[in-house]
Amino acid sequence: MSKSAGPLKTARRLLYARKFFNVITLLEQHEDEYRDSVDFYYYLGTACLYQDDRAGANSYFDAARRLTVSDSRIILAQAALFLRRGETDRAINYYLDVLALEPKNRLALRALAVIEKKARSQDLLNEFVVSGGARKFYPPLGMHPFFKLLLMLVSVVAVGYAGFLAAKFSALANPIQPRADLSAFVLSVDQRNNALQEDLSGEAYRYILNARQVNEAYDAARSLFQQHRDNAAQIEINRILNSNASTAIKQNVQMLMQYLKEPSFDSFSDNIPYLEVIKDPYLYLNCWVVWKGRITNAQAGENGFTCDLLVGYENLQRVEGIVPLVFEQAMDIDSALPLQVLGRIGVREDGKLFVSGKSVYQPRDGSSL
């Protein structure tokens, strides 16, 4: 096994460093080699779970359970997955299975205590699930390697430097540094003064802006990015890309787009209502939304899932609109129940709106979202 130990060790290190996408990318290349490894499927399932890819997490944890039925790590991970999906009864049963193996397992005991407390009110339990409360019961990743290194450095420093270290640690705990170094994106005086296309005859623009509006939109995009408001930054980027802004400024915002991150339900902000998006889909292209509703016309395949999302119809009262919803992975969605979907806005060549789905929350008991 020495030959194949490298990728697993690397994956474990990446997992502890919270680089979940890297874990998935690395290990998926070695599935044939590790088909009999519980750790392999555990690492992959855990990475998918933290990425909110519940379908992937479920598949890999099931593969691990086919290899062993008594590994408490796998059972705990599946329990957290069920809790995240709102399947509270199944989660409870799995936590009880863990306690049958390890009566003093702290994570299982803590999870059951929280579920018992929240279960006194269905609204409290639903709010706990929707707000990402189940995440605290995901497989523990331990201390981030950065902080381990920091503690090691602190432990070897003389007592005389305690005050100095306290100041440094305070600076680390309350960082004032920007999210990323955007010095390369600072506009020169010449770029600000020449913020518009000189010749408007060769192309059609959705938005005709003046130089002040272009500069304001550009500054807003940079500022919103540093505030971790990527969705709002994307709107300003779209405004510029579809306007008569200069080529230099458009190239800058296209590079800035590479720094934007995909959200999860837990990290998502700046939601955009469907009725706002439909007014001008191109302004919201590539923005993320969380919309409630129900689905119809579902077509499931091994490597994808398509349906129509009836936006606003979660309570069977009023349909705000019907939007094609596309997933690039297999999904388990019940068309009879309401749901919340996290997805990215897209526009087809004919100008029609669609959503590329990433994650779904659907309470299995049919309770309100």
Side-chain angles (χ1 to χ4, degrees), residues 5-277:
L8 272 188
K9 288 185 177 179
T10 301
R12 183 174 59 186
R13 177 175 53 80
L14 291 170
L15 197 61
Y16 291 161
R18 280 67 170 171
K19 296 182 179 180
F20 307 119
F21 178 79
N22 299 55
V23 173
I24 297 169
T25 303
L26 170 65
L27 290 185
E28 284 184 340
Q29 304 174 39
H30 298 276
E31 187 159 7
D32 288 339
E33 182 181 0
Y34 288 102
R35 64 179 59 194
D36 296 323
S37 170
V38 174
D39 285 345
F40 171 79
Y41 291 115
Y42 174 70
Y43 294 157
L44 260 176
T46 300
C48 287
L49 186 59
Y50 275 95
Q51 284 279 86
D52 212 25
D53 177 6
R54 281 170 271 172
N58 185 66
S59 175
Y60 290 126
F61 290 146
D62 279 347
R65 284 297 295 276
R66 286 194 291 270
L67 296 175
T68 176
V69 295
S70 59
D71 190 323
S72 61
R73 298 176 305 162
I74 309 300
I75 306 174
L76 284 169
Q78 289 183 302
L81 174 60
F82 294 139
L83 188 59
R84 180 66 182 87
R85 296 195 322 206
E87 298 178 47
T88 311
D89 290 341
R90 292 188 72 183
I92 291 173
N93 288 334
Y94 273 59
Y95 284 126
L96 292 176
D97 287 344
V98 172
L99 293 179
L101 294 170
E102 300 176 17
K104 296 183 179 180
N105 187 284
R106 293 183 179 181
L107 190 58
L109 290 170
R110 189 156 52 90
L112 287 172
V114 170
I115 293 172
E116 180 182 10
K117 180 179 179 181
K118 300 292 183 182
R120 296 170 186 172
S121 165
Q122 188 61 49
D123 289 339
L124 274 178
L125 188 58
N126 290 340
E127 182 182 353
F128 173 77
V129 173
V130 173
S131 65
R135 193 178 182 89
K136 66 179 64 176
F137 302 118
Y138 283 6
L141 301 178
M143 185 177 292
H144 194 288
F146 169 80
F147 293 105
K148 284 187 177 181
L149 177 61
L150 183 62
L151 288 176
M152 289 175 61
L153 291 174
V154 170
S155 67
V156 298
V157 174
V159 176
Y161 290 96
F164 173 77
L165 287 176
K168 286 294 183 181
F169 183 80
S170 177
L172 285 172
N174 301 283
I176 59 174
Q177 298 96 333
R179 177 181 175 186
D181 181 9
L182 297 187
S183 57
F185 295 94
V186 175
L187 296 180
S188 66
V189 174
D190 182 65
Q191 287 173 320
R192 286 189 177 277
N193 291 338
N194 297 278
L196 303 178
Q197 296 281 357
E198 294 182 1
D199 182 8
L200 303 184
S201 62
E203 190 173 347
Y205 303 100
R206 293 187 177 278
Y207 316 113
I208 300 298
L209 308 177
N210 58 40
R212 176 183 59 80
Q213 291 171 322
V214 170
N215 285 317
E216 286 179 350
Y218 186 84
D219 292 340
R222 294 177 67 245
S223 175
L224 290 165
F225 168 79
Q226 294 291 20
Q227 297 171 43
H228 296 265
R229 296 180 59 192
D230 289 7
N231 227 26
Q234 181 69 65
I235 295 174
E236 299 304 324
I237 290 172
N238 290 340
R239 196 187 313 278
I240 291 172
L241 291 177
N242 289 282
S243 77
N244 55 319
S246 68
T247 301
I249 290 180
K250 288 184 177 180
Q251 288 175 342
N252 272 18
V253 294
Q254 285 174 331
M255 289 189 291
L256 179 59
M257 279 182 62
Q258 306 305 312
Y259 289 83
L260 304 184
K261 295 183 176 180
E262 291 190 4
S264 65
F265 275 115
D266 297 337
S267 64
F268 179 75
S269 64
D270 295 302
N271 196 22
I272 311 161
Y274 167 80
L275 294 178
E276 191 67 27
V277 172

